[in-house]
Amino acid sequence: MADYVMLRKGRNAISSLTHLILNLSLAVASTALTVISGSWILGVVLVLLSKWRVIAVRPRYWWLNIKANLVDYTVGISLALLVYLAGTESLNAWHIILTAIYAFWLIVVKPQSETVWTEVQSFFAIFFGTFATSLLANNLTPLTGVIVCFIIGYGASRHILIQGEDHDFTLTTFIFGLLLAELSWISYHWTIVYYLGDVNKIALPQLPIMASLMSFVFMRGYKSALYHDGKIRVDDILVPAVFSVILMFVMLFFFSEPIFNI
């Protein structure tokens, strides 16, 4: 019995080490391919290929698997695009930071299954998904940006709600997707950005901050309605809502550099 336990522990250690190395390799390779090629295509393709198991089943399960992995797709593709947008002339600090974030996602955040971690995973998708979409706004038509944000919102809200006791969440996911799409439409016509760093600056649009705050309040309201027979208790959402409004007010009027798209 002791030999069996030791063998099993050894196999678990080897499996964990292999998982760690493969995920680190994916994060590094995605950045390296993007910087070396000077294009976002190879980095995004590598992220998609890493999800080969999604279609390694009968075709009738493909759509279900795609929906179940929308959050992972969103984070991986968004970070690959952000690496490209951070510049491809040479390796810089932002490339390293984004690679570290992707590695952290793959190794620490993504494998978790507890409710609080599913919410963290969804916030990752919303923040980085809308981040990349905002920076690409000038290369996208307004409709394309709206559709992309709808998909991000749909996938992120579904990722949280599918873990709960309410199995009739289709309408809720569509409503949240539409809210994020509307926010994207407004943001496209009135873009506010914040520049991070003195060298190799990267622009942080206001959309990912607004989207993250909105999703936080929305989910608190949904949970309140779920636990109180369809009624949202003011006490459950008052603090998150007030905090979000105050933060947005301060950002909008004191730290904004607006850019208008007519």
PDB file of all heavy atoms in Angstrom, residues 23-43:
ATOM      1  N   ASN A  23       1.914  24.904 -20.004  1.00  0.00           N
ATOM      2  CA  ASN A  23       1.206  26.183 -19.960  1.00  0.00           C
ATOM      3  C   ASN A  23       2.162  27.367 -20.037  1.00  0.00           C
ATOM      4  O   ASN A  23       1.870  28.367 -20.699  1.00  0.00           O
ATOM      5  CB  ASN A  23       0.353  26.270 -18.692  1.00  0.00           C
ATOM      6  CG  ASN A  23      -0.930  25.481 -18.808  1.00  0.00           C
ATOM      7  OD1 ASN A  23      -1.731  25.703 -19.703  1.00  0.00           O
ATOM      8  ND2 ASN A  23      -1.131  24.540 -17.902  1.00  0.00           N
ATOM      9  N   LEU A  24       3.303  27.262 -19.361  1.00  0.00           N
ATOM     10  CA  LEU A  24       4.310  28.309 -19.487  1.00  0.00           C
ATOM     11  C   LEU A  24       4.804  28.412 -20.930  1.00  0.00           C
ATOM     12  O   LEU A  24       4.993  29.518 -21.455  1.00  0.00           O
ATOM     13  CB  LEU A  24       5.487  28.019 -18.551  1.00  0.00           C
ATOM     14  CG  LEU A  24       5.311  28.387 -17.081  1.00  0.00           C
ATOM     15  CD1 LEU A  24       6.512  27.895 -16.270  1.00  0.00           C
ATOM     16  CD2 LEU A  24       5.129  29.891 -16.913  1.00  0.00           C
ATOM     17  N   SER A  25       4.980  27.270 -21.562  1.00  0.00           N
ATOM     18  CA  SER A  25       5.440  27.253 -22.957  1.00  0.00           C
ATOM     19  C   SER A  25       4.421  27.910 -23.875  1.00  0.00           C
ATOM     20  O   SER A  25       4.786  28.646 -24.799  1.00  0.00           O
ATOM     21  CB  SER A  25       5.701  25.813 -23.407  1.00  0.00           C
ATOM     22  OG  SER A  25       6.694  25.199 -22.621  1.00  0.00           O
ATOM     23  N   LEU A  26       3.133  27.659 -23.622  1.00  0.00           N
ATOM     24  CA  LEU A  26       2.082  28.267 -24.435  1.00  0.00           C
ATOM     25  C   LEU A  26       2.106  29.787 -24.299  1.00  0.00           C
ATOM     26  O   LEU A  26       2.037  30.508 -25.304  1.00  0.00           O
ATOM     27  CB  LEU A  26       0.719  27.722 -24.017  1.00  0.00           C
ATOM     28  CG  LEU A  26      -0.508  28.383 -24.666  1.00  0.00           C
ATOM     29  CD1 LEU A  26      -0.461  28.257 -26.190  1.00  0.00           C
ATOM     30  CD2 LEU A  26      -1.800  27.764 -24.118  1.00  0.00           C
ATOM     31  N   ALA A  27       2.210  30.277 -23.071  1.00  0.00           N
ATOM     32  CA  ALA A  27       2.226  31.725 -22.841  1.00  0.00           C
ATOM     33  C   ALA A  27       3.428  32.377 -23.511  1.00  0.00           C
ATOM     34  O   ALA A  27       3.306  33.409 -24.189  1.00  0.00           O
ATOM     35  CB  ALA A  27       2.225  32.023 -21.345  1.00  0.00           C
ATOM     36  N   VAL A  28       4.604  31.778 -23.333  1.00  0.00           N
ATOM     37  CA  VAL A  28       5.834  32.337 -23.908  1.00  0.00           C
ATOM     38  C   VAL A  28       5.814  32.238 -25.424  1.00  0.00           C
ATOM     39  O   VAL A  28       6.170  33.191 -26.136  1.00  0.00           O
ATOM     40  CB  VAL A  28       7.071  31.623 -23.337  1.00  0.00           C
ATOM     41  CG1 VAL A  28       8.333  32.072 -24.062  1.00  0.00           C
ATOM     42  CG2 VAL A  28       7.194  31.888 -21.847  1.00  0.00           C
ATOM     43  N   ALA A  29       5.391  31.091 -25.950  1.00  0.00           N
ATOM     44  CA  ALA A  29       5.390  30.879 -27.407  1.00  0.00           C
ATOM     45  C   ALA A  29       4.415  31.818 -28.107  1.00  0.00           C
ATOM     46  O   ALA A  29       4.699  32.327 -29.193  1.00  0.00           O
ATOM     47  CB  ALA A  29       5.042  29.428 -27.723  1.00  0.00           C
ATOM     48  N   SER A  30       3.256  32.067 -27.483  1.00  0.00           N
ATOM     49  CA  SER A  30       2.276  32.969 -28.080  1.00  0.00           C
ATOM     50  C   SER A  30       2.858  34.376 -28.234  1.00  0.00           C
ATOM     51  O   SER A  30       2.716  35.010 -29.294  1.00  0.00           O
ATOM     52  CB  SER A  30       1.017  33.018 -27.211  1.00  0.00           C
ATOM     53  OG  SER A  30       0.096  33.958 -27.695  1.00  0.00           O
ATOM     54  N   THR A  31       3.528  34.853 -27.185  1.00  0.00           N
ATOM     55  CA  THR A  31       4.164  36.170 -27.250  1.00  0.00           C
ATOM     56  C   THR A  31       5.315  36.178 -28.248  1.00  0.00           C
ATOM     57  O   THR A  31       5.452  37.111 -29.061  1.00  0.00           O
ATOM     58  CB  THR A  31       4.682  36.585 -25.866  1.00  0.00           C
ATOM     59  OG1 THR A  31       3.575  36.707 -24.970  1.00  0.00           O
ATOM     60  CG2 THR A  31       5.428  37.912 -25.929  1.00  0.00           C
ATOM     61  N   ALA A  32       6.155  35.156 -28.208  1.00  0.00           N
ATOM     62  CA  ALA A  32       7.324  35.094 -29.086  1.00  0.00           C
ATOM     63  C   ALA A  32       6.909  35.079 -30.561  1.00  0.00           C
ATOM     64  O   ALA A  32       7.496  35.802 -31.385  1.00  0.00           O
ATOM     65  CB  ALA A  32       8.159  33.849 -28.768  1.00  0.00           C
ATOM     66  N   LEU A  33       5.917  34.282 -30.906  1.00  0.00           N
ATOM     67  CA  LEU A  33       5.464  34.222 -32.300  1.00  0.00           C
ATOM     68  C   LEU A  33       4.907  35.564 -32.769  1.00  0.00           C
ATOM     69  O   LEU A  33       5.124  35.972 -33.912  1.00  0.00           O
ATOM     70  CB  LEU A  33       4.401  33.133 -32.458  1.00  0.00           C
ATOM     71  CG  LEU A  33       4.891  31.684 -32.415  1.00  0.00           C
ATOM     72  CD1 LEU A  33       3.711  30.718 -32.426  1.00  0.00           C
ATOM     73  CD2 LEU A  33       5.809  31.395 -33.602  1.00  0.00           C
ATOM     74  N   THR A  34       4.193  36.240 -31.874  1.00  0.00           N
ATOM     75  CA  THR A  34       3.618  37.540 -32.228  1.00  0.00           C
ATOM     76  C   THR A  34       4.707  38.583 -32.456  1.00  0.00           C
ATOM     77  O   THR A  34       4.684  39.324 -33.450  1.00  0.00           O
ATOM     78  CB  THR A  34       2.666  38.018 -31.118  1.00  0.00           C
ATOM     79  OG1 THR A  34       1.617  37.064 -30.951  1.00  0.00           O
ATOM     80  CG2 THR A  34       2.058  39.367 -31.469  1.00  0.00           C
ATOM     81  N   VAL A  35       5.677  38.636 -31.550  1.00  0.00           N
ATOM     82  CA  VAL A  35       6.746  39.634 -31.658  1.00  0.00           C
ATOM     83  C   VAL A  35       7.661  39.343 -32.843  1.00  0.00           C
ATOM     84  O   VAL A  35       8.015  40.238 -33.621  1.00  0.00           O
ATOM     85  CB  VAL A  35       7.569  39.692 -30.352  1.00  0.00           C
ATOM     86  CG1 VAL A  35       8.755  40.646 -30.502  1.00  0.00           C
ATOM     87  CG2 VAL A  35       6.681  40.143 -29.192  1.00  0.00           C
ATOM     88  N   ILE A  36       8.038  38.077 -33.020  1.00  0.00           N
ATOM     89  CA  ILE A  36       8.954  37.706 -34.102  1.00  0.00           C
ATOM     90  C   ILE A  36       8.320  37.904 -35.467  1.00  0.00           C
ATOM     91  O   ILE A  36       8.951  38.418 -36.399  1.00  0.00           O
ATOM     92  CB  ILE A  36       9.418  36.241 -33.941  1.00  0.00           C
ATOM     93  CG1 ILE A  36      10.300  36.112 -32.692  1.00  0.00           C
ATOM     94  CG2 ILE A  36      10.187  35.767 -35.178  1.00  0.00           C
ATOM     95  CD1 ILE A  36      10.643  34.688 -32.329  1.00  0.00           C
ATOM     96  N   SER A  37       7.049  37.508 -35.601  1.00  0.00           N
ATOM     97  CA  SER A  37       6.371  37.614 -36.903  1.00  0.00           C
ATOM     98  C   SER A  37       5.889  39.031 -37.182  1.00  0.00           C
ATOM     99  O   SER A  37       5.646  39.388 -38.341  1.00  0.00           O
ATOM    100  CB  SER A  37       5.182  36.651 -36.955  1.00  0.00           C
ATOM    101  OG  SER A  37       4.172  37.049 -36.036  1.00  0.00           O
ATOM    102  N   GLY A  38       5.733  39.839 -36.141  1.00  0.00           N
ATOM    103  CA  GLY A  38       5.209  41.189 -36.333  1.00  0.00           C
ATOM    104  C   GLY A  38       3.738  41.200 -36.681  1.00  0.00           C
ATOM    105  O   GLY A  38       3.215  42.188 -37.186  1.00  0.00           O
ATOM    106  N   SER A  39       3.051  40.100 -36.388  1.00  0.00           N
ATOM    107  CA  SER A  39       1.636  39.972 -36.700  1.00  0.00           C
ATOM    108  C   SER A  39       0.931  39.271 -35.547  1.00  0.00           C
ATOM    109  O   SER A  39       1.537  38.477 -34.815  1.00  0.00           O
ATOM    110  CB  SER A  39       1.448  39.170 -37.993  1.00  0.00           C
ATOM    111  OG  SER A  39       0.075  38.859 -38.202  1.00  0.00           O
ATOM    112  N   TRP A  40      -0.352  39.539 -35.391  1.00  0.00           N
ATOM    113  CA  TRP A  40      -1.134  38.909 -34.336  1.00  0.00           C
ATOM    114  C   TRP A  40      -1.598  37.518 -34.722  1.00  0.00           C
ATOM    115  O   TRP A  40      -2.029  36.734 -33.861  1.00  0.00           O
ATOM    116  CB  TRP A  40      -2.356  39.764 -34.001  1.00  0.00           C
ATOM    117  CG  TRP A  40      -3.246  40.028 -35.197  1.00  0.00           C
ATOM    118  CD1 TRP A  40      -3.180  41.099 -36.028  1.00  0.00           C
ATOM    119  CD2 TRP A  40      -4.310  39.202 -35.687  1.00  0.00           C
ATOM    120  NE1 TRP A  40      -4.144  41.010 -37.007  1.00  0.00           N
ATOM    121  CE2 TRP A  40      -4.848  39.851 -36.825  1.00  0.00           C
ATOM    122  CE3 TRP A  40      -4.864  37.991 -35.287  1.00  0.00           C
ATOM    123  CZ2 TRP A  40      -5.915  39.321 -37.556  1.00  0.00           C
ATOM    124  CZ3 TRP A  40      -5.922  37.454 -36.018  1.00  0.00           C
ATOM    125  CH2 TRP A  40      -6.439  38.120 -37.138  1.00  0.00           C
ATOM    126  N   ILE A  41      -1.498  37.181 -35.999  1.00  0.00           N
ATOM    127  CA  ILE A  41      -2.129  35.954 -36.503  1.00  0.00           C
ATOM    128  C   ILE A  41      -1.556  34.693 -35.857  1.00  0.00           C
ATOM    129  O   ILE A  41      -2.304  33.834 -35.363  1.00  0.00           O
ATOM    130  CB  ILE A  41      -1.993  35.872 -38.038  1.00  0.00           C
ATOM    131  CG1 ILE A  41      -2.751  37.025 -38.683  1.00  0.00           C
ATOM    132  CG2 ILE A  41      -2.515  34.529 -38.548  1.00  0.00           C
ATOM    133  CD1 ILE A  41      -2.591  37.100 -40.198  1.00  0.00           C
ATOM    134  N   LEU A  42      -0.223  34.562 -35.821  1.00  0.00           N
ATOM    135  CA  LEU A  42       0.378  33.332 -35.298  1.00  0.00           C
ATOM    136  C   LEU A  42       0.094  33.147 -33.805  1.00  0.00           C
ATOM    137  O   LEU A  42      -0.162  32.027 -33.352  1.00  0.00           O
ATOM    138  CB  LEU A  42       1.882  33.335 -35.557  1.00  0.00           C
ATOM    139  CG  LEU A  42       2.317  33.222 -37.023  1.00  0.00           C
ATOM    140  CD1 LEU A  42       3.838  33.218 -37.133  1.00  0.00           C
ATOM    141  CD2 LEU A  42       1.742  31.959 -37.658  1.00  0.00           C
ATOM    142  N   GLY A  43       0.126  34.242 -33.054  1.00  0.00           N
ATOM    143  CA  GLY A  43      -0.171  34.143 -31.627  1.00  0.00           C
ATOM    144  C   GLY A  43      -1.593  33.684 -31.379  1.00  0.00           C
ATOM    145  O   GLY A  43      -1.846  32.821 -30.532  1.00  0.00           O
TER     146      GLY A  43
END
